Structure formats: C-alpha cells, structure tokens
Amino acid sequence: GESVGLHLPTLSVQEGDNSIINCAYSNSASDYFIWYKQESGKGPQFIIDIRSNMDKRQGQRVTVLLNKTVKHLSLQIAATQPGDSAVYFCAENEGDSWGKLQFGAGTQVVVTP
Amino acid sequence: GAVVSQHPSWVICKSGTSVKIECRSLDFQATTMFWYRQFPKQSLMLMATSNEGSKATYEQGVEKDKFLINHASLTLSTLTVTSAHPEDSSFYICSARGGAANYGYTFGSGTRLTVV
C-alpha cells in the first residue's frame, strides 16, 4: 500500500452520491487485495476482496477495480449513506507464505447530508 | 462464523509495568495470527506474525523483547507489552487466519492502550 505514517486524506461526499476511494500498492507480487472499513475505536470490517486474476468484483453497493498495470485499486460505493462515514483501507497480501496483510494509508470518508 | 475476540478493549497502565492483550478465535482454529499497531489517524502497521507452537516473526523495527507474542494454542495468541512507556500508547489490533478456505482474515475489535 501507500506509505504508512501519513495523516489520512479526507473524501467528503454528499449523501446519495457515489464515492470513489483510491489506493496505490507497491508490490507487484501481491496477489490478493481487500478493502476494509474502520469506524472509530473499532477493528477493521471486511467490505470486499479481489484476487489478482480479476480486474473487477461487485458486491452490494460496492465495486472494487484492480489495475495491475499501474498497481492501482479503487473502491466504489454507490448511493453513499451516512453509515458509510468511516476510514477505508486497502490491504494487500504480498504473496508470502505467511499471508501477511499490509495496509495502505487509508481515506477518511465523510458523508454530508 | 469467524469471530475473533480481543481482550481487554481498553487498558490504562503505569509506565514501567507490563500489559497483556489476548486474541482468541472463537469458532475456528487460527493457524496464523497477526498483530498490528495503529496510532491516531494513521494506518495499521503490522508488528508481527505468530504461528501456533512456534516463535513469532517480527517486522523490521519492532522490538521482540518489548512486544512478547505467544501463540500457545490454535485459538489463542497473546501480546505482552513489557516495561510500557507513554510512547507505547496506541491501538493494538489482532487478526486471525484459519485453515478453512472460506475463512480469510478476521480482525479483533482492538485494544486501546494508554500508558501514564
């Protein structure tokens, strides 16, 4: 993922609009990616995942796009709701035997009425 | 299914004391557990990987003598912060990975450690 230790960028989106959250990853050997949602004071909550042999995957109101050429991942949230306000992280499995997950820097999503 | 219980959810301790955090997989056997640390408004940073019955593997820059990890069973891993200092104050999160294909990474709810 992107450099850790940086303060979170913020995406402000109006309720009902679509949100797009981006993530750049660094390891071309990474073969599995996950998007997580984290609310304040809680652990990460799984949203959607995608393997490197796919470029798109859809869930309920969410879509993940993977562009391996430029090592870019995005999460699209349709019809954003107030409950979607949280910090969103992408995480990559770098393909090692342990299955370690490394997290990107994260994006704070703020949904305004 | 796939629930990970982390305890305590918060703890306040004095400088110089040690604190133990527990991570339990409740309904699956976790062959591998991961420990993360998260400072306010920052990302999760992987500290170490633990496998049942073997020594933990620490990420570069993480002091293994300060952050003791024990993975004594397939359902329990513990992180002990020894001789805690205020700079150790952070949000600690565990993650467990089971052997079944449909169990990916399950995260605990985190432990807020404050060292005074």
Side-chain angles (χ1 to χ4, degrees), chain A residues 55-104:
Chain A
D55 52 22
K56 180 179 180 179
R57 191 156 189 243
Q58 289 184 291
Q60 188 176 9
R61 280 203 308 123
V62 293
T63 301
V64 55
L65 299 177
L66 174 62
N67 186 329
K68 294 183 289 295
T69 303
V70 295
K71 291 186 283 189
H72 183 268
L73 199 66
S74 69
L75 176 70
Q76 301 176 7
I77 305 174
T80 311
Q81 302 169 359
D84 294 328
S85 293
V87 178
Y88 290 80
F89 293 98
C90 68
E92 60 183 302
N93 177 328
E94 297 181 333
D96 69 321
S97 59
W98 303 108
K100 293 189 291 186
L101 275 185
Q102 301 287 1
F103 279 72

Side-chain angles (χ1 to χ4, degrees), chain B residues 46-89:
Chain B
L46 182 63
M47 300 174 66
T49 302
S50 76
N51 287 279
E52 183 264 339
S54 62
K55 289 184 179 180
T57 302
Y58 290 81
E59 295 298 297
Q60 193 172 6
V62 178
E63 300 175 59
K64 63 179 181 181
D65 294 331
K66 181 167 185 62
F67 298 100
L68 301 179
I69 292 171
N70 186 287
H71 193 160
S73 77
L74 285 171
T75 59
L76 175 64
S77 176
T78 60
L79 168 67
T80 301
V81 183
T82 63
S83 187
H85 291 285
E87 56 265 31
D88 298 324
S89 298

Side-chain angles (χ1 to χ4, degrees), chain A residues 4-8 32 34 36 38 41-44 89 93 98-105 108, chain B residues 32 34 36 38 40-46 49 51 57 59 91 93 97 105 107-110 112:
Chain A
V4 297
L6 301 176
H7 285 237
L8 298 170
Y32 178 58
I34 309 174
Y36 287 97
Q38 186 182 32
K42 297 183 179 180
F89 293 98
N93 177 328
W98 303 108
K100 293 189 291 186
L101 275 185
Q102 301 287 1
F103 279 72
Q108 173 85 55
Chain B
T32 306
F34 306 92
Y36 292 84
Q38 185 178 31
K41 297 195 179 299
Q42 294 188 20
S43 186
L44 283 76
M45 295 186 63
L46 182 63
T49 302
N51 287 279
T57 302
E59 295 298 297
F91 193 52
I93 308 170
R97 196 178 189 200
Y105 303 88
F107 283 81
S109 54
R112 172 72 60 195

